[in-house]
């Protein structure tokens, strides 16, 4: 396993975003956390620390605030070969109700799963003490529960994937994970529908994710800073207002974004024209994110949209050796783009964002969302949809599929627009409305920001995690 360094975060930063009631509630939660955890180490283990990883987005601020409170919180990420990553992706796909790469979950896959996790556990298990707390994230880590229980820790397993009805594929995934989840003291999902069907209710909890308002991905960038980032990166044409945009890394070091090397990204040969309005989707290269469907909807109904409207589909640059499935999805999108009439294709931009540097990736995503006229999430399936909450926090008007946790984040017509996942015309109509009626779009963005402030910041999340740990220790 690899240790991920996270700088302690002062609670005052978070409090600056809260009202008095929320601040008092947070202070009560802090007292409970100290009483519960001052003598323990809290270990958080994720499949990856990559910028595109949902668990990593959630974990970083929680670990940072815990460390800022003087709690011994540590974050580790798995070391795993490509075939294990493929297996972990398959498990996630199955839990989303799809067959993914069509592979198996048999004895061969189980041997691989257990061998890789046993090797990872050996690297850290001697440092785990009786009474410590271990929080495992997603199917890739479930098989670690037994080793940490034997070491005397209390183990919580948190699932970030899920769909209301995963069907036969989901049953296969749950059958694969069953024996490993027996060793978890508490199982957490983002929605009740995503919990394992065989786990007793008293061993479960439901906790929605949160976004960190002060992270490189969500911190305030004024319009000139955001324009500078996307222009320095080469994604948008035009002169950048600034030669560099400063940011603070999660380990506390100051840095600045000055642009990308040509080999770090793709899509730089077709930048968004200066002055164009953009409809932007930030996503992983995953079929469930609906990138190809979004492209088809834009192309089919381009006549409904203003002539200066351009579509941006942006995601992390995939590693061809470790992420063949992501490469395949990206190729599907670019191949479909190549079949479109030139007049339509010229208004579509498929952008690759470097993912080797989490903070650079986050800074670019932040800027892309802030310069966008509309942010969309056209997911076919979505467990929660952090990109939606992130865009809402930035006061962006959002058009999103009415699936999964997105339905709980967006109040249709108030904090954004919800459309059926397969309805291309409804999506195009909703996007056109926000492009045409700018005052309404601004009102939606303001309401969206306030909704995230009330419901999806780390204050609520920290309190609920402490409550879950208390239940698991009881």
């Amino acid at each position: 396993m690899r240790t991920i360094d996270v700088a302690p975060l002062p609670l005052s930063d978070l409090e600056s975003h809260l009202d008095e009631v929320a601040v008092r509630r947070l202070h009560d939660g802090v007292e409970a956390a100290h009483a519960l955890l001052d003598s323990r180490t809290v270990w958080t283990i994720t499949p990856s620390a990559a910028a595109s990883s949902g668990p990593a987005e959630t974990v970083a601020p929680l670990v940072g605030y815990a460390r800022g409170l003087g709690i011994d919180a540590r974050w580790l990420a798995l070391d795993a070969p490509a075939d294990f990553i493929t297996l972990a992706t398959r498990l996630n796909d199955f839990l989303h109700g799809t067959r993914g790469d069509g592979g198996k979950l048999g004895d061969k896959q189980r041997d691989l799963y257990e061998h890789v996790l046993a090797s990872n556990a050996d690297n850290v298990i001697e440092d785990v003490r009786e009474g410590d707390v271990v929080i495992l994230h997603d199917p890739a880590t479930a098989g670690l529960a037994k080793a940490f229980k034997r070491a005397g820790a209390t183990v919580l397993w948190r699932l970030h994937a899920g769909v209301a009805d995963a069907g036969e594929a989901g049953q296969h995934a749950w059958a694969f994970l069953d024996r490993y989840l027996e060793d978890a003291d508490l199982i957490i999902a983002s929605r009740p529908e995503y919990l394992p069907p065989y786990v007793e209710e008293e061993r479960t909890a439901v906790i929605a994710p949160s976004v960190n308002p002060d992270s490189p991905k969500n911190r305030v960038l004024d319009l000139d800073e955001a324009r500078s980032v996307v222009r320095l990166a080469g994604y948008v044409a035009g002169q950048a207002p600034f030669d560099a945009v400063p940011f603070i890394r999660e380990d506390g070091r100051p840095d600045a974004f000055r642009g990308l090397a040509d080999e770090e990204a793709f899509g730089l040969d077709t930048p968004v024209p200066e002055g164009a309005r953009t409809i932007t989707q930030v996503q992983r290269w995953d079929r469930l994110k609906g990138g190809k469907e979004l492209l088809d909807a834009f192309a089919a109904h381009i006549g409904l949209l203003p002539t200066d409207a351009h579509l941006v589909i942006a995601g992390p640059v995939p590693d061809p050796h470790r992420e063949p499935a992501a490469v395949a999805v990206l190729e599907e999108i670019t191949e479909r783009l190549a079949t479109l009439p030139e007049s339509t294709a010229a208004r579509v931009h498929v952008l690759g964002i470097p993912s080797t540097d989490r903070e650079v990736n986050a800074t670019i995503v932040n800027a892309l969302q802030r310069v966008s006229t509309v942010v969309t999430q056209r997911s076919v399936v979505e467990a929660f949809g952090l990109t939606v909450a992130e865009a809402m926090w930035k006061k962006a008007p959002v058009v999103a599929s009415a699936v999964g946790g997105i339905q709980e984040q967006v109040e249709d017509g108030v904090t954004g627009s919800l459309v059926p996942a397969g309805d291309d015309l409804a999506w195009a109509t909703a996007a056109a409305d926000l492009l045409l009626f700018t005052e309404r779009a601004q009102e939606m963005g303001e309401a969206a920001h306030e909704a995230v402030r009330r419901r999806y910041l780390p204050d609520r999340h920290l309190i609920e995690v402490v409550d879950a740990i208390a239940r698991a220790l009881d």
Side-chain angles (χ1 to χ4, degrees):
M1 291 192 202
R2 294 177 293 122
T3 299
I4 310 301
D5 292 327
V6 180
L9 296 176
L11 207 62
S12 57
D13 288 355
L14 179 55
E15 291 173 355
S16 68
H17 301 287
L18 308 177
D19 59 29
E20 291 183 6
V21 174
V23 169
R24 288 197 298 270
R25 187 165 55 240
L26 178 58
H27 286 179
D28 290 342
V30 167
E31 289 184 15
H34 279 299
L36 195 67
L37 302 173
D38 273 352
S39 62
R40 311 174 193 271
T41 297
V42 180
W43 304 83
T44 294
I45 300 174
T46 61
S48 167
S52 59
S53 162
E57 293 287 346
T58 297
V59 161
L62 297 185
V63 173
Y65 285 119
R67 291 174 62 84
L69 293 170
I71 293 169
D72 185 4
R74 308 184 195 183
W75 176 14
L76 304 174
L78 294 181
D79 274 325
D83 51 358
F84 181 91
I85 293 171
T86 298
L87 174 57
T89 301
R90 188 178 304 157
L91 284 165
N92 275 309
D93 287 339
F94 277 34
L95 290 174
H96 281 126
T98 73
R99 284 288 179 177
D101 65 354
K104 297 180 180 179
L105 294 177
D107 291 341
K108 181 179 178 181
Q109 289 73 34
R110 192 177 294 281
D111 288 345
L112 167 67
Y113 183 82
E114 293 181 355
H115 173 75
V116 171
L117 292 182
S119 176
N120 274 268
D122 287 344
N123 293 335
V124 69
I125 203 70
E126 291 183 359
D127 296 324
V128 177
R129 300 170 301 165
E130 182 82 26
D132 282 358
V133 175
V134 176
I135 305 176
L136 305 173
H137 289 259
D138 273 346
T141 69
L144 294 168
K146 182 184 288 292
F148 287 114
K149 284 293 291 182
R150 286 177 175 170
T154 295
V155 177
L156 294 77
W157 181 71
R158 176 155 191 176
L159 177 65
H160 295 264
V163 67
D165 182 8
E168 185 178 352
Q171 293 173 15
H172 283 297
W174 287 127
F176 184 91
L177 294 169
D178 187 3
R179 68 181 65 177
Y180 310 115
L181 297 181
E182 290 177 356
D183 294 298
D185 297 286
L186 193 74
I187 293 172
I188 303 169
S190 300
R191 304 179 78 206
E193 300 93 323
Y194 304 163
L195 288 164
Y198 43 70
V199 176
E200 307 86 349
E201 184 176 350
E202 57 269 22
R203 286 182 57 221
T204 66
V206 175
I207 301 177
S210 61
V211 298
N212 180 12
D214 298 307
S215 70
K217 185 174 282 189
N218 298 304
R219 72 177 182 87
V220 173
L221 290 176
D222 66 34
L223 195 53
D224 279 345
E225 288 177 315
R227 286 172 174 162
S228 294
V229 170
V230 297
R231 291 176 180 178
L232 289 169
Y235 299 130
V236 177
Q239 180 64 41
F242 305 126
D243 294 332
V245 178
F247 65 91
I248 302 297
R249 292 190 174 276
E250 287 177 341
D251 63 4
R253 290 179 294 124
D255 207 335
F257 180 77
R258 295 179 173 83
L260 301 174
D262 290 344
E263 66 273 12
E264 286 187 298
F266 55 80
L268 305 186
D269 54 337
T270 56
V272 178
E274 187 173 8
R277 292 186 289 171
T278 54
I279 305 167
T280 300
Q281 175 159 306
V282 177
Q283 62 164 85
R284 296 192 312 276
W285 304 115
D286 182 328
R287 289 185 179 87
L288 299 181
K289 298 300 180 182
K292 183 174 177 292
E293 290 80 0
L294 172 61
L295 174 58
D296 287 339
F298 181 84
H301 299 287
I302 195 169
L304 292 177
L305 302 167
T307 56
D308 67 339
H310 284 236
L311 176 66
V312 173
I313 305 175
V317 177
D319 183 330
H321 302 293
R322 296 171 63 85
E323 302 171 288
V327 171
V329 171
L330 177 56
E331 287 177 348
E332 287 180 5
I333 294 172
T334 54
E335 288 170 3
R336 174 68 178 114
L337 177 59
T339 69
L340 297 179
E342 184 177 348
S343 59
T344 299
R347 291 169 60 183
V348 178
H349 311 270
V350 179
L351 306 180
I353 307 173
S355 56
T356 53
D357 187 318
R358 294 183 66 245
E359 288 95 342
V360 166
N361 178 285
T363 298
I364 293 172
V365 170
N366 189 350
L368 274 173
Q369 289 185 322
R370 289 189 185 277
V371 301
S372 298
T373 315
V374 174
V375 172
T376 191
Q377 189 60 58
R378 192 81 204 285
S379 298
V380 178
V381 173
E382 190 67 73
F384 180 76
L386 277 173
T387 54
V388 174
E390 290 161 357
M392 291 170 68
W393 176 251
K394 300 176 181 81
K395 302 182 181 180
V398 171
V399 179
S401 299
V403 295
I406 295 175
Q407 301 168 93
E408 293 161 4
Q409 296 177 68
V410 177
E411 183 180 355
D412 188 32
V414 179
T415 62
S417 295
L418 289 175
V419 297
D423 194 331
D424 290 355
L425 177 58
W427 175 85
T429 302
D433 284 349
L434 293 176
L435 289 166
L436 293 170
F437 301 105
T438 56
E439 185 174 337
R440 180 168 179 263
Q442 183 177 353
E443 290 174 353
M444 274 190 176
E446 296 284 350
H449 175 83
E450 178 61 20
V452 174
R453 189 187 67 79
R454 292 195 315 268
R455 300 172 57 197
Y456 296 115
L457 294 188
D459 60 309
R460 183 270 311 163
H461 199 166
L462 282 164
I463 292 168
E464 291 183 355
V465 169
V466 170
D467 288 345
I469 293 173
R471 284 184 55 199
L473 289 170
D474 190 3

